Amino acid sequence: MKLTFFSALAASLTLVAARAVARDAPHGQIIEPVAGAHIAPGATFNFTYQGSGDYCRSSYAYSVWLITDMPTSFAPVDVFSAGHFFGRYDYPNYPAVPYPKNPAPPQLTMPDFSVSPGGFGPSQTATNKTVQLAVLEEWAGCEIDGPLGVSMSLTYIPVVYNATSS
């Protein structure tokens, strides 16, 4: 009888631990595309972001960028970084954003830098260039000693722009 009780207790604790691990999965991850994906200029690619919204954590919005030149510092400078802005999207989560007005599309389109953006902006070319698909997310938690205002988290993955080889 004791062995059965302890076996049942061990099984229950294992289940509770598995649920705790699943709930505590890392927040703010780019699920698609995968790191190292080769994406051609003008091609559409699947985009999925797992935001920070969870119990005691509200996610508000996130911005998606393609960073072609990483910043070297956070100091004021004429050219902080370079790339392309895909947009700012709502992350659906309760109670912060139960009905998102601007959810992210399921696919994004890789910019074609060989086409001039207009004005004085020239066309540019690059092949096999590793760039970063980045997400800057705005969120807040229920910690009373947290930072003033909403928190911002940054995540990014490398993708290959205009790959000509595997």
Side-chain angles (χ1 to χ4, degrees), residues 10 18 32 60 64 75 91-92 94 102 110 117 136-137:
E32 289 182 292
Y60 301 106
V64 182
Y91 182 73
Y94 182 82
N102 187 34
M110 180 63 78
L136 182 66
E137 182 180 6

Side-chain angles (χ1 to χ4, degrees), residues 97-121:
V97 185
Y99 306 105
K101 292 182 171 79
N102 187 34
Q107 294 187 320
L108 299 174
T109 301
M110 180 63 78
D112 184 349
F113 294 113
S114 70
V115 176
S116 170
F120 291 115

